[in-house]
Amino acid sequence: MEVAGGSVKIIDPTNFPIAAKFSAALVTVKPGAIREIHWHTTSDEWNFFLAGKARISVFAAEGNARTFDYRAGDCGYIPKAMTHYVENVGIEDVVFVEILPWDSGSLSPPNRLSKTLCISAMPP
């Protein structure tokens, strides 16, 4: 999937059968762009940053939140069901690999929920 702010290329057992126990995405976020706020209902998420400068904010229950800065070579971890977004805070593309245990579609609905996905499912 490609949009003005970046791209996401996903592999999982549905399109790469040898990946029977995980799903992964190569994510690019353009300068000034944000990967929208979302969460994974059943899977933790691991990240490995290949390029750029990123900021991830993670929101937990009861008003708890943390923000982390990343650059090429850094690893990140987001526990399941924690709302998060990725922001490009640099002048070059942020490129990172996102890995989740496969659980019937870890990177796709219904296990990945976003504000846009929730609003698009509402009746007119």
Side-chain angles (χ1 to χ4, degrees), residues 51-106:
K53 294 181 181 178
R55 178 168 292 142
I56 296 180
S57 291
V58 180
F59 303 93
E62 301 178 13
N64 294 313
R66 298 271 321 256
T67 299
F68 304 91
D69 289 329
Y70 297 95
R71 58 191 168 116
D74 289 344
C75 293
Y77 170 77
I78 302 162
K80 71 178 171 183
M82 295 216 176
T83 305
H84 57 283
Y85 68 88
V86 181
E87 176 183 5
N88 184 333
V89 294
I91 58 172
E92 63 182 57
D93 288 356
V94 166
V95 180
F96 65 97
V97 176
E98 173 180 288
I99 302 169
L100 294 90
W102 176 254
D103 187 12
S104 302
S106 301

Tab-separated table of all heavy atoms in Angstrom, residues 51-106:
chain	number	residue	atom	x	y	z
A	51	ALA	N	16.580	3.388	8.559
A	51	ALA	CA	16.977	4.724	8.106
A	51	ALA	C	16.083	5.771	8.755
A	51	ALA	O	14.948	5.495	9.137
A	51	ALA	CB	16.861	4.826	6.587
A	52	GLY	N	16.615	6.985	8.853
A	52	GLY	CA	15.836	8.128	9.316
A	52	GLY	C	15.763	8.268	10.823
A	52	GLY	O	16.409	7.537	11.576
A	53	LYS	N	14.972	9.259	11.240
A	53	LYS	CA	14.743	9.549	12.661
A	53	LYS	C	13.251	9.490	12.930
A	53	LYS	O	12.468	10.217	12.306
A	53	LYS	CB	15.278	10.932	13.026
A	53	LYS	CG	16.778	11.053	12.936
A	53	LYS	CD	17.240	12.445	13.339
A	53	LYS	CE	18.745	12.551	13.216
A	53	LYS	NZ	19.217	13.904	13.557
A	54	ALA	N	12.871	8.630	13.865
A	54	ALA	CA	11.450	8.412	14.151
A	54	ALA	C	11.151	8.675	15.613
A	54	ALA	O	12.036	8.595	16.480
A	54	ALA	CB	11.056	6.981	13.810
A	55	ARG	N	9.911	8.975	15.874
A	55	ARG	CA	9.405	9.104	17.239
A	55	ARG	C	8.151	8.241	17.323
A	55	ARG	O	7.262	8.345	16.479
A	55	ARG	CB	9.075	10.556	17.559
A	55	ARG	CG	8.499	10.757	18.948
A	55	ARG	CD	8.470	12.226	19.321
A	55	ARG	NE	9.863	12.661	19.471
A	55	ARG	CZ	10.307	13.858	19.090
A	55	ARG	NH1	9.503	14.740	18.557
A	55	ARG	NH2	11.579	14.176	19.259
A	56	ILE	N	8.107	7.369	18.321
A	56	ILE	CA	6.923	6.550	18.556
A	56	ILE	C	6.346	6.928	19.909
A	56	ILE	O	7.065	6.942	20.912
A	56	ILE	CB	7.248	5.042	18.539
A	56	ILE	CG1	7.740	4.620	17.153
A	56	ILE	CG2	6.022	4.215	18.950
A	56	ILE	CD1	8.075	3.143	17.046
A	57	SER	N	5.067	7.231	19.915
A	57	SER	CA	4.357	7.453	21.169
A	57	SER	C	3.444	6.260	21.402
A	57	SER	O	2.742	5.814	20.490
A	57	SER	CB	3.547	8.745	21.125
A	57	SER	OG	4.425	9.861	21.110
A	58	VAL	N	3.487	5.736	22.629
A	58	VAL	CA	2.712	4.558	23.014
A	58	VAL	C	1.786	4.966	24.153
A	58	VAL	O	2.229	5.568	25.131
A	58	VAL	CB	3.640	3.405	23.472
A	58	VAL	CG1	2.834	2.186	23.877
A	58	VAL	CG2	4.654	3.066	22.398
A	59	PHE	N	0.508	4.645	23.999
A	59	PHE	CA	-0.495	5.009	24.984
A	59	PHE	C	-1.040	3.756	25.652
A	59	PHE	O	-1.502	2.837	24.972
A	59	PHE	CB	-1.643	5.772	24.318
A	59	PHE	CG	-1.171	6.995	23.593
A	59	PHE	CD1	-0.861	6.935	22.238
A	59	PHE	CD2	-1.007	8.190	24.257
A	59	PHE	CE1	-0.418	8.052	21.567
A	59	PHE	CE2	-0.555	9.321	23.587
A	59	PHE	CZ	-0.257	9.244	22.238
A	60	ALA	N	-0.999	3.727	26.983
A	60	ALA	CA	-1.545	2.613	27.752
A	60	ALA	C	-2.786	3.100	28.494
A	60	ALA	O	-3.196	4.257	28.368
A	60	ALA	CB	-0.499	2.089	28.732
A	61	ALA	N	-3.357	2.244	29.285
A	61	ALA	CA	-4.566	2.589	30.044
A	61	ALA	C	-4.276	3.605	31.137
A	61	ALA	O	-3.117	3.831	31.514
A	61	ALA	CB	-5.155	1.322	30.654
A	62	GLU	N	-5.313	4.226	31.619
A	62	GLU	CA	-5.267	5.143	32.760
A	62	GLU	C	-4.343	6.331	32.542
A	62	GLU	O	-3.664	6.784	33.463
A	62	GLU	CB	-4.890	4.385	34.030
A	62	GLU	CG	-5.871	3.276	34.359
A	62	GLU	CD	-5.482	2.476	35.582
A	62	GLU	OE1	-4.584	2.896	36.336
A	62	GLU	OE2	-6.082	1.415	35.777
A	63	GLY	N	-4.287	6.834	31.324
A	63	GLY	CA	-3.532	8.042	31.041
A	63	GLY	C	-2.024	7.862	30.984
A	63	GLY	O	-1.291	8.846	30.977
A	64	ASN	N	-1.538	6.648	30.950
A	64	ASN	CA	-0.106	6.398	30.857
A	64	ASN	C	0.338	6.449	29.399
A	64	ASN	O	-0.290	5.847	28.539
A	64	ASN	CB	0.248	5.032	31.450
A	64	ASN	CG	-0.003	4.983	32.938
A	64	ASN	OD1	0.391	5.886	33.651
A	64	ASN	ND2	-0.656	3.936	33.395
A	65	ALA	N	1.424	7.176	29.154
A	65	ALA	CA	1.966	7.281	27.797
A	65	ALA	C	3.477	7.471	27.888
A	65	ALA	O	3.987	8.029	28.858
A	65	ALA	CB	1.332	8.442	27.054
A	66	ARG	N	4.182	6.994	26.859
A	66	ARG	CA	5.625	7.190	26.748
A	66	ARG	C	5.953	7.493	25.302
A	66	ARG	O	5.302	6.990	24.389
A	66	ARG	CB	6.406	5.928	27.148
A	66	ARG	CG	6.246	5.442	28.563
A	66	ARG	CD	7.204	6.005	29.597
A	66	ARG	NE	8.572	6.200	29.231
A	66	ARG	CZ	9.589	5.422	29.600
A	66	ARG	NH1	9.382	4.340	30.300
A	66	ARG	NH2	10.823	5.733	29.253
A	67	THR	N	6.984	8.295	25.100
A	67	THR	CA	7.451	8.630	23.765
A	67	THR	C	8.918	8.243	23.665
A	67	THR	O	9.703	8.507	24.582
A	67	THR	CB	7.261	10.135	23.486
A	67	THR	OG1	5.864	10.429	23.567
A	67	THR	CG2	7.773	10.513	22.116
A	68	PHE	N	9.274	7.609	22.546
A	68	PHE	CA	10.630	7.119	22.327
A	68	PHE	C	11.143	7.629	20.985
A	68	PHE	O	10.392	7.671	20.013
A	68	PHE	CB	10.643	5.579	22.302
A	68	PHE	CG	10.069	4.952	23.531
A	68	PHE	CD1	8.710	4.638	23.586
A	68	PHE	CD2	10.852	4.671	24.629
A	68	PHE	CE1	8.163	4.052	24.713
A	68	PHE	CE2	10.317	4.084	25.766
A	68	PHE	CZ	8.964	3.771	25.810
A	69	ASP	N	12.423	7.996	20.931
A	69	ASP	CA	13.057	8.416	19.690
A	69	ASP	C	13.951	7.292	19.178
A	69	ASP	O	14.641	6.624	19.965
A	69	ASP	CB	13.890	9.683	19.903
A	69	ASP	CG	13.014	10.908	20.139
A	69	ASP	OD1	11.901	10.955	19.592
A	69	ASP	OD2	13.451	11.810	20.868
A	70	TYR	N	13.936	7.088	17.848
A	70	TYR	CA	14.691	6.014	17.219
A	70	TYR	C	15.455	6.544	16.021
A	70	TYR	O	15.043	7.512	15.385
A	70	TYR	CB	13.752	4.901	16.737
A	70	TYR	CG	12.999	4.224	17.846
A	70	TYR	CD1	11.713	4.634	18.193
A	70	TYR	CD2	13.567	3.173	18.543
A	70	TYR	CE1	11.021	4.009	19.217
A	70	TYR	CE2	12.883	2.539	19.567
A	70	TYR	CZ	11.610	2.957	19.896
A	70	TYR	OH	10.933	2.345	20.903
A	71	ARG	N	16.547	5.856	15.682
A	71	ARG	CA	17.308	6.129	14.466
A	71	ARG	C	17.809	4.809	13.919
A	71	ARG	O	17.624	3.759	14.539
A	71	ARG	CB	18.456	7.090	14.747
A	71	ARG	CG	19.406	6.608	15.784
A	71	ARG	CD	20.368	7.707	16.223
A	71	ARG	NE	21.057	7.239	17.408
A	71	ARG	CZ	22.342	7.019	17.480
A	71	ARG	NH1	23.109	7.275	16.443
A	71	ARG	NH2	22.894	6.566	18.567
A	72	ALA	N	18.442	4.834	12.769
A	72	ALA	CA	18.914	3.605	12.122
A	72	ALA	C	19.726	2.764	13.098
A	72	ALA	O	20.586	3.276	13.809
A	72	ALA	CB	19.744	3.947	10.892
A	73	GLY	N	19.420	1.459	13.150
A	73	GLY	CA	20.113	0.532	14.037
A	73	GLY	C	19.400	0.280	15.356
A	73	GLY	O	19.754	-0.642	16.075
A	74	ASP	N	18.385	1.078	15.673
A	74	ASP	CA	17.651	0.907	16.925
A	74	ASP	C	16.542	-0.131	16.784
A	74	ASP	O	16.012	-0.354	15.696
A	74	ASP	CB	17.007	2.226	17.375
A	74	ASP	CG	18.022	3.242	17.868
A	74	ASP	OD1	19.167	2.857	18.156
A	74	ASP	OD2	17.644	4.432	17.966
A	75	CYS	N	16.192	-0.740	17.912
A	75	CYS	CA	15.072	-1.688	17.984
A	75	CYS	C	14.011	-1.119	18.921
A	75	CYS	O	14.338	-0.478	19.920
A	75	CYS	CB	15.534	-3.018	18.543
A	75	CYS	SG	16.669	-3.898	17.477
A	76	GLY	N	12.753	-1.387	18.593
A	76	GLY	CA	11.648	-0.944	19.441
A	76	GLY	C	10.722	-2.107	19.747
A	76	GLY	O	10.731	-3.124	19.053
A	77	TYR	N	9.930	-1.946	20.798
A	77	TYR	CA	8.966	-2.967	21.213
A	77	TYR	C	7.699	-2.272	21.694
A	77	TYR	O	7.776	-1.316	22.476
A	77	TYR	CB	9.555	-3.813	22.348
A	77	TYR	CG	8.544	-4.733	22.987
A	77	TYR	CD1	8.157	-5.907	22.357
A	77	TYR	CD2	7.973	-4.417	24.210
A	77	TYR	CE1	7.225	-6.750	22.930
A	77	TYR	CE2	7.040	-5.259	24.799
A	77	TYR	CZ	6.670	-6.423	24.157
A	77	TYR	OH	5.746	-7.249	24.722
A	78	ILE	N	6.554	-2.763	21.229
A	78	ILE	CA	5.256	-2.220	21.632
A	78	ILE	C	4.384	-3.389	22.086
A	78	ILE	O	4.098	-4.288	21.286
A	78	ILE	CB	4.584	-1.452	20.484
A	78	ILE	CG1	5.498	-0.319	20.015
A	78	ILE	CG2	3.223	-0.922	20.918
A	78	ILE	CD1	5.175	0.219	18.660
A	79	PRO	N	3.966	-3.404	23.353
A	79	PRO	CA	3.118	-4.501	23.835
A	79	PRO	C	1.750	-4.513	23.150
A	79	PRO	O	1.241	-3.469	22.735
A	79	PRO	CB	2.961	-4.206	25.330
A	79	PRO	CG	4.098	-3.304	25.668
A	79	PRO	CD	4.350	-2.494	24.426
A	80	LYS	N	1.166	-5.703	23.042
A	80	LYS	CA	-0.132	-5.841	22.384
A	80	LYS	C	-1.170	-4.942	23.041
A	80	LYS	O	-1.100	-4.646	24.233
A	80	LYS	CB	-0.604	-7.292	22.380
A	80	LYS	CG	-1.026	-7.827	23.711
A	80	LYS	CD	-1.504	-9.255	23.540
A	80	LYS	CE	-1.717	-9.885	24.907
A	80	LYS	NZ	-2.099	-11.277	24.789
A	81	ALA	N	-2.090	-4.491	22.205
A	81	ALA	CA	-3.234	-3.668	22.597
A	81	ALA	C	-2.865	-2.250	23.025
A	81	ALA	O	-3.738	-1.492	23.437
A	81	ALA	CB	-4.061	-4.354	23.682
A	82	MET	N	-1.597	-1.858	22.908
A	82	MET	CA	-1.219	-0.481	23.248
A	82	MET	C	-1.281	0.374	21.982
A	82	MET	O	-0.656	0.073	20.973
A	82	MET	CB	0.153	-0.435	23.877
A	82	MET	CG	0.193	-1.129	25.207
A	82	MET	SD	1.272	-0.289	26.331
A	82	MET	CE	0.998	-1.285	27.784
A	83	THR	N	-2.028	1.437	22.070
A	83	THR	CA	-2.194	2.358	20.955
A	83	THR	C	-0.867	3.064	20.698
A	83	THR	O	-0.189	3.475	21.634
A	83	THR	CB	-3.293	3.373	21.298
A	83	THR	OG1	-4.473	2.663	21.643
A	83	THR	CG2	-3.578	4.299	20.144
A	84	HIS	N	-0.508	3.217	19.416
A	84	HIS	CA	0.760	3.853	19.085
A	84	HIS	C	0.722	4.447	17.682
A	84	HIS	O	-0.136	4.107	16.878
A	84	HIS	CB	1.918	2.856	19.197
A	84	HIS	CG	1.756	1.635	18.345
A	84	HIS	ND1	0.914	0.601	18.689
A	84	HIS	CD2	2.332	1.270	17.176
A	84	HIS	CE1	0.967	-0.340	17.767
A	84	HIS	NE2	1.822	0.045	16.820
A	85	TYR	N	1.651	5.360	17.445
A	85	TYR	CA	1.851	5.907	16.099
A	85	TYR	C	3.329	6.154	15.896
A	85	TYR	O	4.101	6.235	16.850
A	85	TYR	CB	1.031	7.178	15.870
A	85	TYR	CG	1.474	8.373	16.665
A	85	TYR	CD1	2.446	9.243	16.179
A	85	TYR	CD2	0.917	8.644	17.914
A	85	TYR	CE1	2.855	10.348	16.909
A	85	TYR	CE2	1.315	9.750	18.648
A	85	TYR	CZ	2.285	10.591	18.142
A	85	TYR	OH	2.694	11.684	18.866
A	86	VAL	N	3.736	6.260	14.630
A	86	VAL	CA	5.131	6.503	14.272
A	86	VAL	C	5.191	7.814	13.514
A	86	VAL	O	4.495	8.001	12.522
A	86	VAL	CB	5.692	5.359	13.395
A	86	VAL	CG1	7.154	5.624	13.052
A	86	VAL	CG2	5.522	4.014	14.079
A	87	GLU	N	6.041	8.708	13.973
A	87	GLU	CA	6.199	10.033	13.361
A	87	GLU	C	7.615	10.170	12.812
A	87	GLU	O	8.582	9.807	13.485
A	87	GLU	CB	5.950	11.096	14.431
A	87	GLU	CG	6.160	12.505	13.976
A	87	GLU	CD	5.974	13.525	15.100
A	87	GLU	OE1	5.777	13.128	16.253
A	87	GLU	OE2	6.046	14.721	14.787
A	88	ASN	N	7.746	10.694	11.600
A	88	ASN	CA	9.055	11.001	11.042
A	88	ASN	C	9.436	12.397	11.528
A	88	ASN	O	8.788	13.381	11.191
A	88	ASN	CB	9.021	10.957	9.512
A	88	ASN	CG	10.396	11.176	8.912
A	88	ASN	OD1	11.260	11.806	9.492
A	88	ASN	ND2	10.588	10.656	7.714
A	89	VAL	N	10.511	12.481	12.339
A	89	VAL	CA	10.944	13.769	12.885
A	89	VAL	C	12.232	14.258	12.235
A	89	VAL	O	12.843	15.214	12.710
A	89	VAL	CB	11.104	13.694	14.429
A	89	VAL	CG1	9.759	13.458	15.090
A	89	VAL	CG2	12.106	12.622	14.842
A	90	GLY	N	12.635	13.623	11.131
A	90	GLY	CA	13.866	13.993	10.450
A	90	GLY	C	13.611	14.574	9.071
A	90	GLY	O	12.484	14.918	8.717
A	91	ILE	N	14.690	14.648	8.287
A	91	ILE	CA	14.597	15.227	6.945
A	91	ILE	C	14.707	14.174	5.836
A	91	ILE	O	14.623	14.497	4.664
A	91	ILE	CB	15.675	16.318	6.732
A	91	ILE	CG1	17.071	15.745	6.947
A	91	ILE	CG2	15.417	17.501	7.662
A	91	ILE	CD1	18.199	16.698	6.579
A	92	GLU	N	14.902	12.905	6.226
A	92	GLU	CA	14.930	11.821	5.246
A	92	GLU	C	13.844	10.805	5.607
A	92	GLU	O	13.287	10.852	6.704
A	92	GLU	CB	16.303	11.153	5.193
A	92	GLU	CG	16.717	10.481	6.487
A	92	GLU	CD	18.113	9.873	6.411
A	92	GLU	OE1	19.064	10.593	6.124
A	92	GLU	OE2	18.216	8.656	6.653
A	93	ASP	N	13.555	9.893	4.690
A	93	ASP	CA	12.556	8.869	4.952
A	93	ASP	C	12.928	8.043	6.184
A	93	ASP	O	14.103	7.710	6.381
A	93	ASP	CB	12.432	7.899	3.773
A	93	ASP	CG	11.752	8.515	2.560
A	93	ASP	OD1	11.299	9.678	2.638
A	93	ASP	OD2	11.684	7.817	1.533
A	94	VAL	N	11.940	7.710	6.996
A	94	VAL	CA	12.102	6.705	8.043
A	94	VAL	C	11.744	5.371	7.394
A	94	VAL	O	10.698	5.246	6.763
A	94	VAL	CB	11.184	6.977	9.247
A	94	VAL	CG1	11.103	5.758	10.167
A	94	VAL	CG2	11.657	8.185	10.022
A	95	VAL	N	12.622	4.402	7.531
A	95	VAL	CA	12.372	3.066	7.008
A	95	VAL	C	12.605	2.094	8.157
A	95	VAL	O	13.660	2.140	8.815
A	95	VAL	CB	13.302	2.719	5.825
A	95	VAL	CG1	13.009	1.321	5.301
A	95	VAL	CG2	13.174	3.756	4.714
A	96	PHE	N	11.615	1.232	8.420
A	96	PHE	CA	11.778	0.243	9.479
A	96	PHE	C	11.029	-1.033	9.138
A	96	PHE	O	10.108	-1.038	8.324
A	96	PHE	CB	11.349	0.789	10.843
A	96	PHE	CG	9.890	1.123	10.988
A	96	PHE	CD1	9.002	0.231	11.574
A	96	PHE	CD2	9.399	2.349	10.561
A	96	PHE	CE1	7.659	0.547	11.728
A	96	PHE	CE2	8.064	2.682	10.718
A	96	PHE	CZ	7.187	1.773	11.306
A	97	VAL	N	11.475	-2.112	9.771
A	97	VAL	CA	10.824	-3.411	9.647
A	97	VAL	C	9.999	-3.617	10.910
A	97	VAL	O	10.485	-3.400	12.019
A	97	VAL	CB	11.853	-4.549	9.499
A	97	VAL	CG1	11.161	-5.908	9.461
A	97	VAL	CG2	12.694	-4.340	8.255
A	98	GLU	N	8.771	-4.016	10.716
A	98	GLU	CA	7.836	-4.270	11.817
A	98	GLU	C	7.530	-5.767	11.793
A	98	GLU	O	7.187	-6.306	10.738
A	98	GLU	CB	6.595	-3.428	11.541
A	98	GLU	CG	5.421	-3.627	12.419
A	98	GLU	CD	4.287	-2.704	11.987
A	98	GLU	OE1	4.394	-1.490	12.212
A	98	GLU	OE2	3.306	-3.205	11.419
A	99	ILE	N	7.669	-6.441	12.943
A	99	ILE	CA	7.450	-7.882	13.004
A	99	ILE	C	6.468	-8.199	14.123
A	99	ILE	O	6.590	-7.678	15.230
A	99	ILE	CB	8.775	-8.639	13.232
A	99	ILE	CG1	9.757	-8.314	12.108
A	99	ILE	CG2	8.541	-10.144	13.337
A	99	ILE	CD1	11.156	-8.782	12.340
A	100	LEU	N	5.495	-9.057	13.808
A	100	LEU	CA	4.507	-9.497	14.788
A	100	LEU	C	4.328	-11.005	14.663
A	100	LEU	O	4.377	-11.540	13.559
A	100	LEU	CB	3.144	-8.836	14.542
A	100	LEU	CG	3.066	-7.338	14.742
A	100	LEU	CD1	3.378	-6.606	13.468
A	100	LEU	CD2	1.690	-6.956	15.225
A	101	PRO	N	4.077	-11.696	15.785
A	101	PRO	CA	3.706	-13.113	15.675
A	101	PRO	C	2.429	-13.225	14.850
A	101	PRO	O	1.546	-12.370	14.946
A	101	PRO	CB	3.453	-13.544	17.116
A	101	PRO	CG	4.076	-12.496	17.967
A	101	PRO	CD	4.092	-11.233	17.157
A	102	TRP	N	2.325	-14.232	14.016
A	102	TRP	CA	1.143	-14.404	13.179
A	102	TRP	C	-0.014	-14.906	14.029
A	102	TRP	O	0.099	-15.873	14.743
A	102	TRP	CB	1.417	-15.372	12.049
A	102	TRP	CG	0.194	-15.642	11.238
A	102	TRP	CD1	-0.548	-16.780	11.246
A	102	TRP	CD2	-0.451	-14.743	10.342
A	102	TRP	NE1	-1.608	-16.655	10.384
A	102	TRP	CE2	-1.577	-15.410	9.819
A	102	TRP	CE3	-0.192	-13.442	9.921
A	102	TRP	CZ2	-2.435	-14.826	8.902
A	102	TRP	CZ3	-1.042	-12.867	9.009
A	102	TRP	CH2	-2.146	-13.547	8.507
A	103	ASP	N	-1.106	-14.213	13.913
A	103	ASP	CA	-2.317	-14.598	14.638
A	103	ASP	C	-3.515	-14.289	13.758
A	103	ASP	O	-4.239	-13.331	13.998
A	103	ASP	CB	-2.403	-13.852	15.965
A	103	ASP	CG	-3.550	-14.329	16.833
A	103	ASP	OD1	-4.154	-15.376	16.522
A	103	ASP	OD2	-3.849	-13.655	17.820
A	104	SER	N	-3.661	-15.044	12.677
A	104	SER	CA	-4.784	-14.869	11.748
A	104	SER	C	-4.900	-13.449	11.221
A	104	SER	O	-5.987	-12.902	11.122
A	104	SER	CB	-6.090	-15.293	12.410
A	104	SER	OG	-6.007	-16.626	12.834
A	105	GLY	N	-3.797	-12.815	10.959
A	105	GLY	CA	-3.841	-11.487	10.353
A	105	GLY	C	-3.352	-10.391	11.266
A	105	GLY	O	-3.986	-9.369	11.430
A	106	SER	N	-2.203	-10.573	11.903
A	106	SER	CA	-1.689	-9.612	12.877
A	106	SER	C	-1.571	-8.198	12.343
A	106	SER	O	-1.731	-7.245	13.077
A	106	SER	CB	-0.314	-10.063	13.371
A	106	SER	OG	-0.391	-11.326	13.952
